[in-house]
Amino acid sequence: MGLVQGVCFADTGNNVICMDIDKKKIRNLKKGIIPIYEPGLEEIVKRNIKDGRLKFSANLKLAVEESQIIFLCLPTPQSEDGSADIKHIMEVSRRIAGYLNESKIIVSKSTVPVGTVEKIRQIFENNSKHGIKVVSNPEFLKEGTALQDSLKPDRIVIGTSDKKTAEILAELYKPFVRTGNPIIVMDEKSAELTKYAANSFLAAKITFMNDLANLCEKVGADIEWIRKGIGSDPRIGKNFLFAGIGYGGSCFPKDVKALVKTSGVHGHRLRILEAVDSINEDQKKVIFAKLKKHFEGGLKGKAIAVWGIAFKPQTDDIREAPSAVLISSLLNEGVKVSVHDPAAMPNAKKIYGSKIKYCKSAYSALKNADALVVVTEWNEFRRLDLHSIKSLMRTPVIFDGRNIYDPDEVRGSGFVYYGIGRKNGE
Ligand SMILES: NC(=O)c1ccc[n+]([C@@H]2O[C@H](COP(=O)([O-])OP(=O)(O)OC[C@H]3O[C@@H](n4cnc5c(N)ncnc54)[C@H](O)[C@@H]3O)[C@@H](O)[C@H]2O)c1
């Protein structure tokens, strides 16, 4: 998130220093080597390095001294109790306070629980004589389209009660909202909560469709018809209505859990999100249950091809990916797992090592497979050469975890097809 934001600010003419504790990452970035897969990012980073507006450093003191506005884009991972861990934010704030050479604006861009901005302010008041302004400015970019989302954001949320600070940040963001998308200035706490509200609402929307898909299977309805039938109502909207095997990634799971936790701390139970979280955990297991049923429990020794490991297409991020739940269940049952993912295989290797087979192409993963499971809906998986697939596989069975195929077409070519909430989807 920090890299994408930094390069976007540089691209609009600002001088930016991206500071990170990871020295190897900084060394690579100086050479234009990008640590993540994100479409378009490498090109814009290289251009801004060449033009001299984008610099990288592992030296916090230098980065602080040379900057007027400091964006905190630090990780806020999930703690053991489900809350967001803000230790990195607190620690780095303390260090920044020690290096302050003049009054500056500190922007909290990480996703942080309500009240964090206030805690950051306290740290600066206790550790520095320079007056600072602390702002909450949550980020709404999506992995896979992060650059476009940042260059043309739907909205910018600025949480501050200081008018002058709001004007400075609005000026910084002006080039990104030329088409008229709003810059919404609000108080700090509302801004902090807005980010959690957005992610939790989206997680709830997906989960509603996933759970309804489970009902569809029981009553013999098709979730795809339901999706079309409700999505054209503008109050519901067409986006985020595709049923699948659960949401994952570095944000939705931790943010839903963190908001449930925050609510509890303040004496309120957000029961709707408790349900979302628990339904989603179950949803990640549905393909495995379907596999067991199909093979009548006997998965040991079977060869299963898995297409897609990333938590969604266009990213190499596998944090909290539904593929992890499936792959570990398959390995526990003694299944031989072959995988293909266009971007996430290097990250998968760090976790699974030699326990699974990594295949250069989607079709090579199918050789002698007893079943194919589509976990991530990468574009390259959408059009199938069913004839070739059938000749490669030992038995023609497809588990479509993202409902990207037409069941009739797949079945018509002699396959057994299972979707999520599809009519006759078993
Ligand atoms: N990934 C997203 O799509 C996304 C979108 C919106 C908001 N966010 C939020 O942004 C924040 C960061 O998320 P991310 O996905 O970019 O995390 P990340 O783990 O990919 O990146 C965080 C970076 O911070 C660095 N870091 C850790 N400790 C440090 C320290 N003490 N000093 C300097 N650098 C340090 C790490 O080395 C790493 O490069 C989180 O709060 C997340 O919820 C993420």
Side-chain angles (χ1 to χ4, degrees):
M1 186 271 273
L3 176 61
V4 174
Q5 283 305 306
V7 73
C8 288
F9 287 137
D11 207 50
T12 45
N14 302 289
N15 291 317
V16 177
I17 306 174
C18 285
M19 185 273 157
D20 201 287
I21 201 170
D22 185 335
K23 290 194 175 125
K24 187 174 169 216
K25 211 177 251 185
I26 292 296
R27 266 198 313 275
N28 282 337
L29 279 165
K30 281 181 179 171
K31 291 185 243 161
I33 301 169
I34 310 295
I36 50 165
Y37 174 85
E38 189 60 51
L41 190 56
E42 185 175 329
E43 189 200 326
I44 191 171
V45 166
K46 281 186 172 158
R47 176 154 44 82
N48 281 280
I49 294 175
K50 190 165 152 271
D51 293 349
R53 289 185 298 267
L54 182 63
K55 294 200 167 63
F56 295 96
S57 174
N59 185 334
L60 182 62
K61 183 169 183 285
L62 175 139
V64 169
E65 285 174 355
E66 295 203 0
S67 309
Q68 291 153 301
I69 308 178
I70 299 169
F71 288 86
L72 304 178
C73 305
L74 294 152
T76 48
Q78 192 180 307
S79 311
E80 263 178 31
D81 67 358
S83 62
D85 185 348
I86 57 166
K87 69 167 185 268
H88 299 292
I89 305 264
M90 296 292 107
E91 182 211 311
V92 173
S93 296
R94 246 173 251 120
R95 290 183 58 209
I96 293 174
Y99 296 140
L100 274 190
N101 51 343
E102 60 185 4
S103 169
K104 297 183 197 274
I105 297 176
I106 311 290
V107 184
S108 161
K109 216 165 192 2
S110 301
T111 304
V112 291
V114 182
T116 305
V117 159
E118 192 46 48
K119 287 183 183 159
I120 298 173
R121 188 176 292 126
Q122 284 294 323
I123 287 180
F124 280 93
E125 276 173 14
N126 296 342
N127 295 284
S128 170
K129 60 181 185 340
H130 298 285
I132 51 105
K133 299 286 178 211
V134 187
V135 183
S136 167
N137 168 220
E139 179 50 51
F140 298 94
L141 65 78
K142 304 182 283 298
E143 287 178 31
T145 52
L147 206 55
Q148 277 316 308
D149 293 343
S150 301
L151 292 170
K152 289 191 176 160
D154 300 327
R155 78 303 210 180
I156 297 293
V157 169
I158 297 174
T160 176
S161 31
D162 186 74
K163 200 162 170 271
K164 180 89 185 28
T165 307
E167 280 168 12
I168 294 171
L169 284 176
E171 193 59 33
L172 185 65
Y173 279 112
K174 216 161 118 192
F176 305 111
V177 290
R178 290 181 61 238
T179 49
N181 284 347
I183 294 179
I184 308 163
V185 180
M186 57 179 83
D187 65 275
E188 293 89 336
K189 286 184 177 169
S190 300
E192 289 171 322
L193 195 52
T194 297
K195 172 65 191 174
Y196 282 102
N199 275 2
S200 300
F201 188 88
L202 294 169
K205 200 172 176 189
I206 297 174
T207 304
F208 176 80
M209 291 308 282
N210 288 343
D211 213 17
L212 213 58
N214 297 332
L215 175 65
C216 284
E217 290 182 10
K218 295 225 155 49
V219 301
D222 193 320
I223 194 69
E224 276 298 287
W225 284 120
I226 317 270
R227 179 179 70 76
K228 288 172 189 154
I230 65 172
S232 41
D233 182 333
R235 292 170 304 174
I236 295 172
K238 291 186 172 67
N239 296 330
F240 263 66
L241 290 182
F242 288 91
I245 50 172
Y247 61 77
S250 69
C251 292
F252 284 9
K254 84 169 165 67
D255 292 350
V256 167
K257 285 186 172 76
L259 188 51
V260 167
K261 200 73 198 165
T262 298
S263 304
V265 168
H266 292 273
H268 178 70
R269 266 188 74 194
L270 259 177
R271 285 167 294 170
I272 192 163
L273 291 186
E274 289 173 7
V276 166
D277 186 37
S278 111
I279 294 167
N280 192 61
E281 289 308 311
D282 289 347
Q283 195 66 16
K284 293 183 194 169
K285 300 172 194 155
V286 297
I287 287 279
F288 183 68
K290 284 173 192 276
L291 274 160
K292 280 206 96 157
K293 199 170 164 207
H294 175 83
F295 290 105
E296 291 168 350
L299 284 176
K300 195 170 187 315
K302 295 277 183 237
I304 308 275
V306 174
W307 282 2
I309 312 165
F311 86 93
K312 67 174 182 179
Q314 301 294 339
T315 179
D316 62 352
D317 197 340
I318 59 170
R319 291 177 281 186
E320 299 281 327
S323 64
V325 175
L326 175 69
I327 291 173
S328 66
S329 305
L330 292 175
L331 292 175
N332 282 343
E333 289 279 315
V335 170
K336 285 179 263 169
V337 180
S338 304
V339 300
H340 174 73
D341 187 289
M345 289 203 290
N347 281 340
K349 273 181 197 164
K350 289 180 207 157
I351 293 182
Y352 305 111
S354 58
K355 288 186 198 146
I356 60 177
K357 190 174 161 203
Y358 307 91
C359 303
K360 281 208 173 82
S361 73
Y363 282 29
S364 61
L366 297 174
K367 214 163 170 230
N368 294 324
D370 293 291
L372 160 65
V373 183
V374 180
V375 174
T376 317
E377 66 279 31
W378 283 91
N379 265 345
E380 67 168 71
F381 302 154
R382 286 181 187 269
R383 299 278 307 136
L384 298 179
D385 176 353
L386 290 167
H387 185 72
S388 303
I389 291 181
K390 207 168 164 197
S391 65
L392 284 167
M393 294 178 76
R394 189 179 298 143
T395 49
V397 188
I398 295 181
F399 293 82
D400 178 4
R402 299 291 172 186
N403 287 350
I404 57 175
Y405 305 122
D406 177 345
D408 292 339
E409 192 187 332
V410 176
R411 287 197 187 107
S413 300
F415 284 80
V416 177
Y417 173 87
Y418 298 87
I420 305 291
R422 306 305 307 270
K423 201 166 169 63
N424 303 321
E426 323 295 331

